[in-house]
Amino acid sequence: MPLPDPRSPAGRRVLLAAAAVLLAVLAVVWYGWSTTAGQVRPTVTGYRVESDTLVRVGYDLVRPEGTAVTCRVAGLDSRKGRVGVVEDRVPAQGPAVVHRTVEVRTSARAVTGVVESCTRVTGG
């Protein structure tokens, strides 16, 4: 397929449309990168219900290197109600990606474990 002739009006329109599409794609990529760079992101890698009063939750945490983070980890019952919660403090020392395993004591049997939120620790 030959390229459009930029000397004709139709060719200029095709090239202008292609340039506009390329710029739009670049803008979307830049926006996506700029809004997610430096974010704190947890990913649950597994959980294990040990008993009616304990669930272990494993998760990977991606964070900017040298950033202290506090994550809220919870055990949920069959109706998605929180039956236990613990705050896991991840120190600033260490790599940008860390694996954590947290024990959550529960008031009733949990059926799953989740990371509800992670926030940067400021001022320390």
Side-chain angles (χ1 to χ4, degrees):
M1 177 172 165
L3 291 175
D5 183 4
R7 293 173 291 190
S8 72
R12 284 192 294 272
R13 281 193 300 272
V14 169
L15 289 175
L16 187 61
V21 168
L22 179 62
L23 286 174
V25 167
L26 288 174
V28 168
V29 168
W30 173 82
Y31 178 76
W33 177 81
S34 67
T35 58
T36 60
Q39 281 190 341
V40 174
R41 291 185 319 272
T43 302
V44 173
T45 57
Y47 64 90
R48 181 183 205 154
V49 178
E50 298 286 344
S51 68
D52 287 345
T53 60
L54 178 68
V55 61
R56 288 190 206 302
V57 182
Y59 69 98
D60 290 335
L61 176 65
V62 179
R63 51 140 182 204
E65 198 164 328
T67 302
V69 176
T70 298
C71 292
R72 181 182 301 259
V73 183
L76 304 180
D77 66 12
S78 60
R79 294 184 303 193
K80 298 182 183 171
R82 187 189 303 160
V83 292
V85 65
V86 66
E87 299 230 336
D88 184 31
R89 290 175 175 78
V90 183
Q93 297 78 22
V97 179
V98 294
H99 179 76
R100 306 287 288 184
T101 301
V102 179
E103 289 187 354
V104 179
R105 296 276 171 201
T106 60
S107 59
R109 187 169 189 86
V111 297
T112 191
V114 298
V115 178
E116 292 182 335
S117 65
C118 288
T119 56
R120 296 173 191 239
V121 176
T122 56

